[in-house]
Amino acid sequence: GQNIDQPTEMTATEGAIVQINCTYQTSGFNGLFWYQQHAGEAPTFLSYNVLDGLEEKGRFSSFLSRSKGYSYLLLKELQMKDSASYLCAVRFVSSNSGYALNFGKGTSLLVTP
Amino acid sequence: DTGVSQDPRHKITKRGQNVTFRCDPISEHNRLYWYRQTLGQGPEFLTYFQNEAQLEKSRLLSDRFSAERPKGSFSTLEIQRTEQGDSAMYLCASSLDRGRVKNIQYFGAGTRLSVL
């Protein structure tokens, strides 16, 4: 299987830092993506990791450990507009696989004043 | 550079009717994907095209579903004899395949289907 697990809901305060975790089965791993999705809107690309380590992009950072099958998305200086669903997606390589993404169920983040 | 566009944004239909959705990818993107998303879930892969060739189909794609990308540009997804279980958001994404490049998928806003 390719179970991708992330917490269902998180709440954090404006201005704070929040970390959203994602775990996945490591067999056939070929890249991990984070997307942000506001209700009724398209998922928006945030970050991509394929090698171990931290990728930083402004207020958002993403970390990957391939051996542990683990990633996290770190959001700093939270703003109210960051309230959204955050989707962890993994690309696996298989004999008939193109580049389909396998998504977790998403983490609904609520930022409070 | 316009993003991925989908039409219509909303579709309400009666059970048993056929529906067709359209997706226009980002210009020059050679890969196009269809996903389905239900409330509280992440998107689930349905099928993908490289240029005009349909290269992969998920087991979720029953015989009632068919997708085309006749000229390697826009794509259509048709659902025949719709069922209430088909109610979902249908998302389209596109990407540019440059071999070892990231192949990031960019999504459209989706078509929300409600089957009554």
Side-chain angles (χ1 to χ4, degrees):
Chain A
Q2 298 167 337
N3 291 341
I4 298 164
D5 293 317
Q6 50 183 129
T8 303
E9 295 179 340
M10 298 184 73
T11 301
T13 306
E14 192 176 14
I17 299 173
V18 70
Q19 177 175 312
I20 302 174
N21 296 326
C22 174
T23 58
Y24 61 90
Q25 294 196 298
T26 59
S27 177
F29 174 82
N30 190 245
L32 187 143
F33 301 75
W34 284 96
Y35 285 83
Q36 179 192 62
Q37 187 177 28
H38 286 99
E41 298 183 10
T44 304
F45 170 74
L46 292 178
S47 70
Y48 167 74
N49 296 75
V50 69
L51 299 176
D52 291 349
L54 189 68
E55 294 283 340
E56 296 186 82
K57 190 187 296 185
R59 294 189 299 115
F60 292 11
S61 304
S62 58
F63 171 82
L64 177 69
S65 169
R66 288 173 296 171
S67 62
K68 295 182 179 178
Y70 168 70
S71 172
Y72 67 72
L73 180 69
L74 194 71
L75 291 75
K76 303 176 185 176
E77 301 169 11
L78 281 172
Q79 302 175 9
M80 299 296 288
K81 68 178 182 179
D82 296 330
S83 293
S85 180
Y86 291 85
L87 299 164
C88 174
V90 179
R91 186 171 62 202
F92 294 97
V93 175
S94 66
S95 60
N96 65 346
S97 171
Y99 291 84
L101 294 178
N102 297 268
F103 284 85
K105 294 183 178 182
T107 298
S108 179
L109 174 66
L110 177 64
V111 180
T112 59
Chain B
D1 181 23
T2 59
V4 178
S5 62
Q6 294 187 242
D7 183 70
R9 291 294 310 277
H10 303 275
K11 178 69 176 178
I12 301 174
T13 191
K14 293 182 178 179
R15 190 176 53 185
Q17 298 295 304
N18 299 344
V19 294
T20 301
F21 312 140
R22 175 179 171 124
C23 171
D24 287 88
I26 293 172
S27 176
E28 297 180 354
H29 276 194
N30 55 350
R31 289 197 171 155
L32 186 148
Y33 311 78
W34 285 99
Y35 291 83
R36 180 173 69 188
Q37 186 176 26
T38 54
L39 196 62
Q41 303 293 316
E44 295 174 296
F45 170 73
L46 292 177
T47 188
Y48 102 96
F49 293 83
Q50 176 145 336
N51 300 313
E52 66 275 9
Q54 188 174 16
L55 295 187
E56 186 179 359
K57 291 192 283 187
S58 161
R59 284 175 293 177
L60 292 176
L61 211 66
S62 77
D63 292 344
R64 297 184 297 106
F65 287 67
S66 62
E68 295 183 343
R69 194 182 183 199
K71 298 181 180 180
S73 57
F74 74 91
S75 175
T76 58
L77 177 68
E78 180 183 17
I79 309 174
Q80 296 182 328
R81 305 181 302 282
T82 52
E83 302 173 355
Q84 288 185 325
D86 297 331
S87 295
M89 176 76 83
Y90 289 84
L91 293 165
C92 176
S94 70
S95 69
L96 180 61
D97 174 24
R98 284 184 181 166
R100 297 177 64 184
V101 178
K102 300 172 187 178
N103 217 288
I104 297 167
Q105 294 182 27
Y106 296 92
F107 284 81
T111 294
R112 181 169 294 285
L113 173 66
S114 297
V115 181
L116 305 180

